Amino acid sequence: MYPKYFEMDEYIVSARKYRPDTFEMVVGQDTITQTLKNSIKNNQLGQAYLFCGPRGVGKTTCARIFAKTINCSNPTPDHEPCNECESCRAFIESRSFNIHELDAASNNSVEDIRALIDQVRIPPQLGSYSVYIIDEVHMLSQAAFNAFLKTLEEPPKHAIFILATTEKHKILPTILSRCQIFDFNRISVEDIRKQLEYVAKQEGIEAESDALHVIAQKADGAMRDALSIFDQIVSFCGRNITYQDTIKNLNVLDYEIYFKITDALLAGNYAEALNIFDDVLKKGFEGGYFINGLASHYRDLLVCKDPNTINLIEVGDKTKEKYLQFAQKCSVPFLFNAIQIANSCDMSYRTSQNKRLLVELSLLKICNISSSVFALPQQQTPKTQVAQLQPQPVVSKPVVAEQKPAPAPVAPKPVLPEQPKPQPTNNELQNDGTKAGLLNKIVGLGGTPTASNAEKNTQVATSTANWGNKDFSSSDVTEAWLAFVAEKCPAGTRWNSYFRNHIPEVDESGAYVLKVEDSSMQTRLLERKEVILNFVRMKLDNGSFNFNFVVDENLVEKSNEVAKTTSERLDELKKNNPEVAGMLSDGDFTQV
């Protein structure tokens, strides 16, 4: 029961009239109230407490109830204040000398704290404890905090400090370390709705559940704000609070607006969606508020898709039923993409130069999602299939007609066998577009061959039949080899010097071989063998010429006889072969 003080004829706002006076009546802070009651039960009272959390969640209220309970001479078995003893009556009538409240926002100087310290020394006249409630304690100055430290850590046995603040991070760590800290949570929408329903019943007011839900959402977790909004709605609606009157008074967009615009977007009717948004702007709503609400709307539709997440939606019972029905029209991919687009628009809204265009563009994107993700308009599917099938016969007919005069590409066939018959000279080979000219275009020996050159090299290798079968000697091979060095390896490069000193020779089996120092060099030269081979074949006018790279066995045996480090072998190689030293200093194989 509430005290008779609140039954006076003068009007008292609901935030004061229905302010809890017992722990049981505190809304949404069960853990904290139970902890405080247990400390009273076990007689384990600390010298300092810190209550921190958002506004309107019960910090100062719990401090007052705690102060009243520890001084109550006849507490209930559940360790609640009786509200009937002299100490409780004195507190209710605001004449208690045991409970002192200090507003640190206006009393934040060192002098105010010193006066408080002097007052702490006086023992209580009635009751067992003197409780000092300091509200907005983070407003104290640095000097005031320092002056308060010693007394806060070692107060008299009868003194208990309860500090309340909304900004715990502004309090000195030395203060925090001397207090028991209680973090108050925001009150849930459902708890606020139930409390408003209780208040409405006590006041004889009829209120729709959806209307109370809107008030609870507007309060943003603060019970005091919710009661203040409730008084405002009662003044507007009278004894009958309806959903429509509530959203009209609070300037809240109706859920129907979002359902209506979602219907238009799902149908691909972007014109209707833009007109609905224009009506929202004409009613005085900001585009950012609209797009934020649209994102929340799609989020609520998404959680209604799964029975396990239905409880995450915070709306009235009637509205929840509509969400459940409407969610069946939307697919999960559509809702995912729509939420992402709306959220991106919300983040860019403040910095946008054309805010209306930004929101309209987001609506068009959502409309495009609906047309691409859904297969709702089933009549369009056969039309699309017909459209895809029609071009096939149409394309095939002109192709057949155009292919009739197409024997032109077959004409070169009789010309190909006639080309290898004449025996061109060296000068003709250099200017011949089918041999030397083709090879010069294909082989890029001045740098690293490109992918296209590699493909062309393969073409040259496979067309060796175009070259003749002219006999050649070792001197002809040497001459062709030096021609390759002169034309494809510029003077002064490492490969020019290397190839002049390494010329293919005839081995015991009669095959041409090029001796190299090690397997690493052999591997690097094999990568360019086809390029060199094609050039020499062209010069010899013999497509059957071939040679191989082999490691010099004498060089290998010599390195095995004397075990040397890599550095020593490299130095000796450079000393005996100056051209190799220049080659190693020039980097990797890039000129062939």
Side-chain angles (χ1 to χ4, degrees):
M1 296 297 295
Y2 289 97
K4 296 181 180 179
Y5 171 77
F6 295 121
E7 298 176 2
M8 300 175 62
D9 293 334
E10 68 267 16
Y11 175 74
I12 301 175
V13 295
S14 298
R16 290 180 55 199
K17 184 176 182 180
Y18 292 95
R19 187 169 194 168
D21 60 350
T22 62
F23 287 120
E24 185 179 1
M25 297 178 62
V26 177
V27 179
Q29 309 297 342
D30 296 337
T31 303
I32 294 176
T33 55
Q34 186 62 40
T35 303
L36 294 176
K37 289 169 66 174
N38 290 339
S39 64
I40 297 173
K41 174 183 178 182
N42 300 326
N43 195 21
Q44 296 176 346
L45 304 180
Q47 81 275 6
Y49 297 88
L50 176 63
F51 294 169
C52 50
R55 69 181 191 281
V57 294
K59 299 185 297 297
T60 306
T61 297
C62 286
R64 291 179 175 179
I65 297 173
F66 183 73
K68 182 172 62 172
T69 304
I70 60 178
N71 283 308
C72 180
S73 58
N74 188 26
T76 64
D78 197 23
H79 302 282
E80 297 276 8
C82 66
N83 290 328
E84 296 178 356
C85 65
E86 181 60 25
S87 176
C88 292
R89 297 297 303 176
F91 174 80
I92 293 173
E93 297 172 3
S94 300
R95 54 181 178 83
S96 175
F97 292 99
N98 292 358
I99 302 173
H100 311 273
E101 293 191 35
L102 177 68
D103 182 16
S106 56
N107 301 276
N108 54 9
S109 63
V110 178
E111 289 75 12
D112 296 322
I113 294 300
R114 287 175 178 172
L116 177 63
I117 294 174
D118 293 337
Q119 186 178 358
V120 167
R121 300 173 183 174
I122 304 174
Q125 298 179 355
L126 181 65
S128 304
Y129 299 95
S130 292
V131 182
Y132 297 87
I133 303 174
I134 305 178
D135 204 4
E136 302 299 333
V137 69
H138 65 274
M139 299 294 288
L140 289 177
S141 63
Q142 182 82 17
F145 271 128
N146 293 332
F148 189 41
L149 281 175
K150 189 62 176 177
T151 304
L152 186 64
E153 183 176 9
E154 297 179 358
K157 293 182 179 181
H158 61 268
I160 294 178
F161 295 97
I162 302 178
L163 314 180
T165 179
T166 56
E167 300 182 39
K168 183 176 66 173
H169 60 280
K170 292 185 178 181
I171 301 177
L172 296 179
T174 51
I175 296 291
L176 296 177
S177 63
R178 289 164 170 80
C179 302
Q180 293 185 21
I181 302 176
F182 292 86
D183 291 309
F184 285 69
N185 302 319
R186 291 183 181 274
I187 306 175
S188 66
V189 173
E190 184 62 22
D191 288 339
I192 294 178
R193 187 198 65 81
K194 291 181 180 179
Q195 182 66 11
L196 292 177
E197 194 175 48
Y198 169 78
V199 172
K201 184 177 180 181
Q202 291 295 115
E203 296 292 330
I205 298 174
E206 295 182 2
E208 295 181 0
S209 178
D210 289 345
L212 298 181
H213 259 288
V214 173
I215 297 174
Q217 290 178 343
K218 192 76 172 179
D220 193 24
M223 192 69 236
R224 183 174 59 229
D225 293 357
L227 291 172
S228 299
I229 297 173
F230 177 81
D231 289 344
Q232 176 183 337
I233 299 301
V234 170
S235 300
F236 178 76
C237 301
R239 293 289 175 178
N240 186 14
I241 300 178
T242 62
Y243 171 75
Q244 292 297 333
D245 289 339
T246 301
I247 62 174
K248 182 178 180 180
N249 183 265
L250 297 180
N251 200 29
V252 176
L253 274 176
D254 188 4
Y255 295 119
E256 294 296 333
I257 296 293
Y258 296 119
F259 284 123
K260 187 177 179 181
I261 197 170
T262 303
D263 267 330
L265 294 175
L266 289 174
N269 191 349
Y270 69 89
E272 183 179 355
L274 295 179
N275 287 330
I276 295 174
F277 176 59
D278 181 67
D279 293 337
V280 171
L281 295 179
K282 289 179 180 179
K283 293 179 181 179
F285 293 97
E286 286 287 337
Y289 178 80
F290 165 80
I291 200 68
N292 183 275
L294 187 63
S296 300
H297 175 72
Y298 288 139
R299 178 262 181 192
D300 292 340
L301 287 174
L302 181 62
V303 300
C304 287
K305 296 289 291 183
D306 193 324
N308 296 325
T309 57
I310 291 178
N311 294 330
L312 298 178
I313 182 174
E314 296 178 338
V315 295
D317 294 336
K318 294 182 180 179
T319 307
K320 181 178 291 187
E321 292 178 2
K322 187 163 187 177
Y323 266 102
L324 291 173
Q325 296 175 0
F326 198 90
Q328 305 305 320
K329 299 181 181 180
C330 307
S331 69
V332 174
F334 168 77
L335 294 175
F336 277 146
N337 292 321
I339 292 173
Q340 185 177 6
I341 293 173
N343 186 57
S344 177
C345 177
D346 184 37
M347 291 188 297
S348 304
Y349 186 81
R350 293 184 179 179
T351 58
S352 176
Q353 297 295 327
N354 193 337
K355 294 178 169 43
R356 175 167 183 163
L357 179 61
L358 178 65
V359 178
E360 290 177 342
L361 182 61
S362 300
L363 293 176
L364 294 177
K365 290 180 180 179
I366 298 174
C367 186
N368 185 50
I369 292 174
S370 64
S371 60
S372 60
V373 174
F374 288 116
L376 294 178
Q378 298 179 357
Q379 297 179 355
Q380 295 181 2
T381 303
K383 293 181 180 179
T384 306
Q385 295 176 353
V386 173
Q388 294 177 352
L389 294 175
Q390 286 178 352
Q392 297 178 358
V394 175
V395 173
S396 61
K397 291 180 180 178
V399 169
V400 174
E402 292 178 359
Q403 287 180 352
K404 292 180 179 179
V410 185
K413 291 184 178 179
V415 180
L416 290 176
E418 297 178 0
Q419 292 181 357
K421 291 181 180 180
Q423 299 294 333
T425 62
N426 291 337
N427 293 333
E428 290 175 346
L429 284 172
Q430 294 178 358
N431 297 325
D432 186 7
T434 61
K435 292 185 179 180
L438 177 62
L439 185 61
N440 290 333
K441 293 179 181 179
I442 294 174
V443 182
L445 292 180
T448 303
T450 60
S452 59
N453 288 338
E455 295 176 0
K456 294 179 180 179
N457 292 342
T458 305
Q459 296 176 4
V460 174
T462 57
S463 61
T464 56
N466 293 334
W467 295 320
N469 193 20
K470 185 178 179 180
D471 295 336
F472 59 89
S473 62
S474 298
S475 59
D476 295 332
V477 173
T478 302
E479 183 181 354
W481 187 268
L482 294 178
F484 163 77
V485 176
E487 293 185 21
K488 300 304 178 182
C489 299
T493 62
R494 55 192 174 127
W495 292 115
N496 184 289
S497 176
Y498 184 81
F499 286 137
R500 284 186 182 278
N501 293 277
H502 295 73
I503 300 175
E505 302 174 356
V506 181
D507 62 1
E508 297 177 356
S509 62
Y512 283 88
V513 297
L514 181 68
K515 297 180 180 181
V516 296
E517 288 74 11
D518 52 30
S519 59
S520 175
M521 180 62 70
Q522 181 185 32
T523 302
R524 294 165 64 185
L525 289 175
L526 283 173
E527 295 176 356
R528 297 297 188 270
K529 176 183 176 181
E530 203 67 40
V531 175
I532 304 172
L533 185 61
N534 288 329
F535 186 95
V536 176
R537 285 175 176 176
M538 181 191 69
K539 287 294 184 181
L540 297 176
D541 193 17
N542 191 308
S544 62
F545 171 77
N546 196 6
F547 71 95
N548 296 316
F549 297 102
V550 297
V551 178
D552 190 347
E553 297 181 357
N554 295 328
L555 197 60
V556 173
E557 292 177 358
K558 184 178 179 180
S559 62
N560 292 335
E561 291 175 0
V562 181
K564 298 180 180 180
T565 63
T566 304
S567 178
E568 291 174 345
R569 278 186 256 167
L570 183 61
D571 293 339
E572 183 177 355
L573 185 62
K574 290 181 179 179
K575 182 178 179 180
N576 298 332
N577 302 277
E579 67 279 6
V580 176
M583 179 183 64
L584 294 175
S585 62
D586 287 342
D588 201 358
F589 185 72
T590 58
Q591 295 299 328
V592 177

